[in-house]
Amino acid sequence: MNAYAKLGDYEAAYSLLQQMLSTKRRQVKDHHEEDGEEGEGEGDGVPKLSPNLVTYNTLLDACHRANNLPKALDVLEEMKSRGIHPDARTYTTIISTVGRQR
């Protein structure tokens, strides 16, 4: 997610968040499966992950770099609705995003 944030690719970063929140288990695939070989990770599920403050701050950074204030405010609201309390970095990012608006 951090790489997408640095690129300002909010959509890709948000997609990762949605995958983290997915209730379905995803299958691990390795490069051997493409060649028809059975991969070591075949059948192993990736567990559902819980986003935390760092996850949401990274997503807010993606919004900031994309200069997308409406999405940043949506992320802030989603974060609060999930019981994750914003910190100084959260508010600094929001304020910086407001400052970039023209």
Side-chain angles (χ1 to χ4, degrees):
M1 184 180 287
N2 192 40
Y4 289 129
K6 287 181 180 182
L7 292 171
D9 190 345
Y10 165 79
E11 297 297 328
Y14 191 76
S15 175
L16 287 176
L17 175 66
Q18 293 306 308
Q19 289 176 37
M20 290 175 71
L21 296 170
S22 174
T23 57
K24 295 180 181 176
R25 294 172 64 88
R26 295 172 308 280
Q27 295 298 313
V28 176
K29 295 182 181 179
D30 67 18
H31 67 283
H32 295 293
E33 290 183 60
E34 293 174 12
D35 298 330
E37 297 176 26
E38 189 171 314
E40 291 179 21
E42 188 171 292
D44 297 334
V46 176
K48 178 179 164 184
L49 301 171
S50 298
N52 59 21
L53 179 63
V54 174
T55 306
Y56 281 103
N57 280 344
T58 302
L59 189 54
L60 284 170
D61 188 47
C63 295
H64 171 73
R65 291 173 188 255
N67 198 24
N68 193 334
L69 180 60
K71 292 291 184 187
L73 295 174
D74 289 344
V75 170
L76 180 63
E77 287 306 311
E78 181 177 340
M79 154 182 207
K80 288 179 180 179
S81 74
R82 294 191 179 278
I84 298 172
H85 301 287
D87 66 356
R89 180 173 177 196
T90 306
Y91 288 117
T92 299
T93 304
I94 294 288
I95 291 167
S96 294
T97 305
V98 170
R100 294 182 77 181
Q101 303 303 296
R102 295 177 192 207

